[in-house]
Amino acid sequence: LTANAADFTFIFVGDLDINTMRGLVEQYIASLPSDPANSTAERPLRDNPALDIKPGTSTHIETMNMKSPQTYAFVMQWADIPFSMRNSQLASIAGQILSSRLIDTVREKEGAVYSIWATGSLDRIGTQNASLMTQFPMKPQMRDKVLGIISEQIAAMSREVDGAELAKAKEYMTKQYTAAREENGEWIRQMAGTALDGIDCINGNIESLNAITAADVAAFVKAMTDQGNYRVVILEPEQ
């Protein structure tokens, strides 16, 4: 594994004494064999397109025998969005707002599920890297109504987001960012990400978050929905 360390990136995080670390790095890392001419080819930031989800809109239904009949649903809206700190924050905010809306409508108002949640994410690599996703069990007789609500809520978010919804997400993320700055694991994760694509997502993250408006979130969701990729996968009990 260390026969040729030319393409290695080493990241150290923690309460380190720089002078002590420098000596150890010079002794154990700088001395590793290094031949750039024969190093592993640089990994592309885009994965193999053949492995991507097929674009478009579709619903796929399977059935199986169940002792306790329930309908299980997986719903995902995805898109190809350039990665940046701001776009990553917008994806997370969109997921939090969608999750809150689905709790209010699908669970509280309709009583169709015991619990429901949604997430929004933006990956650093790959095409179709932005996603809004939810998966949950529900009452079989509520399937069509619940799926309609989810589609309607995503469409509604692409038109308008309420300032109170955004403020709640910002408050949560600010607390998370503040706590994460004290965690070695978060610094390692962020530094590894920056080493991959050069994009820093930790320094200035609260300032970036505070600059986001409700209109920005709606525009982000619209940019996703405009690409027309919406997948529904259903597992139904056998009749």
Side-chain angles (χ1 to χ4, degrees), residues 16 30 32 39 70 90 139 168 182 226:
L16 307 173
L32 291 173
S39 65
Q70 282 189 309
L90 286 165
K139 299 174 182 177
K168 183 178 179 180
E182 305 301 320
D226 283 351

Side-chain angles (χ1 to χ4, degrees), residues 84-97 119-122 165-181 183 186 189-190 201-202 204-213 217 220:
S84 67
M85 178 195 295
R86 181 175 182 275
N87 283 344
S88 179
Q89 291 172 329
L90 286 165
S92 178
I93 292 168
Q96 292 174 63
I97 293 174
T119 60
S121 64
L122 183 68
E165 294 178 305
L166 174 59
K168 183 178 179 180
K170 282 186 175 182
E171 180 182 8
Y172 170 77
M173 292 172 69
T174 298
K175 290 180 180 178
Q176 292 293 103
Y177 287 158
T178 301
R181 280 188 168 274
E183 299 174 0
E186 178 65 10
R189 186 176 75 86
Q190 293 293 347
C201 286
I202 191 168
N205 54 9
I206 293 179
E207 292 80 2
S208 173
L209 177 67
N210 287 336
I212 291 174
T213 67
V217 181
F220 180 85

Side-chain angles (χ1 to χ4, degrees), residues 32-49:
L32 291 173
S34 177
D35 181 9
N38 293 308
S39 65
T40 303
E42 182 179 354
R43 181 186 176 189
L45 294 183
R46 294 288 186 177
D47 291 336
N48 186 345

Side-chain angles (χ1 to χ4, degrees), residues 50-202:
L51 301 178
D52 287 342
I53 303 172
K54 292 182 179 179
T57 298
S58 68
T59 298
H60 184 74
I61 301 176
E62 292 288 344
T63 62
M64 68 174 294
N65 183 41
M66 300 181 189
K67 290 183 178 180
S68 300
Q70 282 189 309
T71 292
Y72 292 84
F74 170 82
V75 181
M76 183 170 70
Q77 177 93 56
W78 76 96
D80 188 356
I81 302 290
F83 185 86
S84 67
M85 178 195 295
R86 181 175 182 275
N87 283 344
S88 179
Q89 291 172 329
L90 286 165
S92 178
I93 292 168
Q96 292 174 63
I97 293 174
L98 178 61
S99 187
S100 180
R101 290 189 179 192
L102 295 185
I103 290 171
D104 289 343
T105 55
V106 176
R107 188 183 75 180
E108 300 300 329
K109 182 179 179 181
E110 299 298 336
V113 299
Y114 177 74
S115 65
I116 190 170
W117 51 267
T119 60
S121 64
L122 183 68
D123 294 335
R124 287 181 182 265
I125 62 174
T127 57
Q128 303 170 349
N129 57 328
S131 66
L132 282 173
M133 181 190 73
T134 180
Q135 55 183 354
F136 54 91
M138 62 179 159
K139 299 174 182 177
Q141 66 271 24
M142 298 291 290
R143 185 193 74 185
D144 292 342
K145 187 168 189 177
V146 169
L147 293 178
I149 290 172
I150 295 171
S151 178
E152 290 167 2
Q153 287 298 331
I154 294 175
M157 285 177 60
S158 72
R159 296 189 296 270
E160 184 178 13
V161 168
D162 185 80
E165 294 178 305
L166 174 59
K168 183 178 179 180
K170 282 186 175 182
E171 180 182 8
Y172 170 77
M173 292 172 69
T174 298
K175 290 180 180 178
Q176 292 293 103
Y177 287 158
T178 301
R181 280 188 168 274
E182 305 301 320
E183 299 174 0
N184 289 343
E186 178 65 10
W187 279 99
I188 291 174
R189 186 176 75 86
Q190 293 293 347
M191 292 169 71
T194 302
L196 180 67
D197 60 12
I199 299 174
D200 179 0
C201 286
I202 191 168

